[in-house]
Amino acid sequence: MRFLENFIETPLAGAIGWTMLHSLWEGAIIAAALGAALLVMRSARLRYAAACIAMAMMLGGFALTWIHLLPDGQNAFWNLQSPALHQWNGQLASNAPGYWDGDLAAIVPWLAPLWIAGVLAFYLRHVAGLRALYRLRHRGVCCAPECWQSKLAGLSARLHLSRPILLLESSLADTPMVIGHLRPLVLMPVGILTGLPAAQIEAVLLHELAHIGRYDYIVNTLQRLVEGLLFYHPAVWWISRVIRTERENCCDDMVVSISGNAHQYAVALAALEQNRWSGREPAVAAIGGSLVNRIHRLLYPKGPSNAWTPFFAAIALLVTAGLCLGAWESGVRGGVHAIPAPHSQPAEAMSATYSKWLNEDVVYIISDEERAAFQRLNTNEERDKFIEQFWLRRDPTPGTAENEFKTEHYRRIAYVNKHYQNAGGRQGWQTDRGRIYILYGPPDEIESHPNGGPRQSYPNEMWAYRHRPATADLDVFTFIDRARTGDYRLSSSTAK
């Protein structure tokens, strides 16, 4: 606590506090100017450039104000040491009407530790997001089919991209996205490459390649850094929203200019949104921004610009001006609550529901690689997405409402639990007959000898399967009840 009090008394804390207050009206002016510019601009590239310039001006204004408010600042851009500013800062004590009595000057330095806490909180959140992207890049991924790798290389050549770009399928990603700049990676959710028409997939890949060619990953990272520094300013978040919207519009325009079919691309965007399960926003993705507005813009390119743009600009101006005026009139009497820094969340323990799914529901059909990948997941959100993709990979008719494989699998489990539960207490799915039935379905023929037969003195059953995939024309499984308790065990001659 003593350290905090000592810091509050330093000139640095005062400079930070006054810089935050000054940035309110500076940002309001910049946001109003951007709103006016957007009213007359129609080109997505110009609107994007204007928003990026406005964001840079917000950062530049904050930096210049802070530098010139430091005690050793020289060559001020404007006269920050004027008597009027001294009166506003409360440095010139006076009892005359209209002068500050020094209360505001005592409160303003306390804004500095709150700002530092907020910046750390937003940057820790950004680091957590980068870690999540790293997991997406290395977990639950597999190489896309060679034909699409070649197609991606051809599309890259059309956009004059010289960097090698890797295309992977992910069981955790819920939307196509680009990760990285020096070694860019395009992630496609599992099932998209087989569930959409080829022309629509090409349009989606063109969109992601457009992000790479425009260096959007770097710009997005810098944008998040500015958001963290100026997290308290509503104008910054409005400008960021404009940047992200126009960024997607620019990539959409590139796709339409190359493919020449706006309607088909709009259908692809709508199909991607149907496969999206969460609201998590990746670094740069194909369905970022407002999907409805993007589709309307693609189908009606000559329509008017967004009518809400001046409204948001006016709101940003009024809010920031109101905050600044409130600081002038009330001396910030209300106090400010610090933004708590996020704590690192430990990996969520696997609940009984997920353990049952892994060790009971799919124990016979999940591969060793899939089991290991599922056990490495840390959160329930990741597990839910894995399970969704697990069934999607096995769906014989992707794109339809029903997953026939999943329906049949759970029907088989229900059947064996009803018919093959034995006296020893084992459930039907745990028995040998239950395992074979779940794996291969009902046999074509069953030869049952409950009292033994000429070839076997113990009760036994023989199940015959014809034309089972990847086997000979006829497979016979023999089950023997050696203890005569109803617990039929797979014969060692046929057990695998």
Side-chain angles (χ1 to χ4, degrees), residues 138-141 171-172 350 357-359 362 366-378 382-383 386 390 393:
H138 295 88
R139 288 188 180 182
V141 296
S171 62
L172 299 179
M350 188 181 299
W357 181 84
L358 180 65
N359 299 313
V362 299
I366 192 171
S367 67
D368 293 339
E369 294 79 8
E370 289 174 321
R371 174 179 290 273
F374 186 79
Q375 291 173 333
R376 288 196 298 267
L377 300 179
N378 294 325
E382 292 179 344
R383 295 178 185 119
F386 182 97
F390 177 89
R393 286 193 294 272

Side-chain angles (χ1 to χ4, degrees), residues 148-171:
W148 283 113
Q149 298 280 3
S150 303
K151 193 65 173 179
L152 183 70
L155 296 176
S156 300
R158 294 180 65 179
L159 293 178
H160 307 289
L161 299 178
S162 58
R163 282 168 290 170
I165 301 172
L166 185 61
L167 177 63
L168 297 178
E169 290 187 280
S170 171
S171 62

Side-chain angles (χ1 to χ4, degrees), residues 169-171 173 189-195 275 277 357 370 385-400 402-403 405-406:
E169 290 187 280
S170 171
S171 62
V190 170
I192 293 296
L193 295 180
T194 57
N275 288 283
W277 299 303
W357 181 84
E370 289 174 321
K385 289 182 179 177
F386 182 97
I387 293 173
E388 196 78 27
Q389 292 286 349
F390 177 89
W391 294 117
L392 182 61
R393 286 193 294 272
R394 290 161 172 79
D395 189 357
T397 57
T400 60
E402 182 182 4
N403 186 329
F405 180 92
K406 180 180 178 181

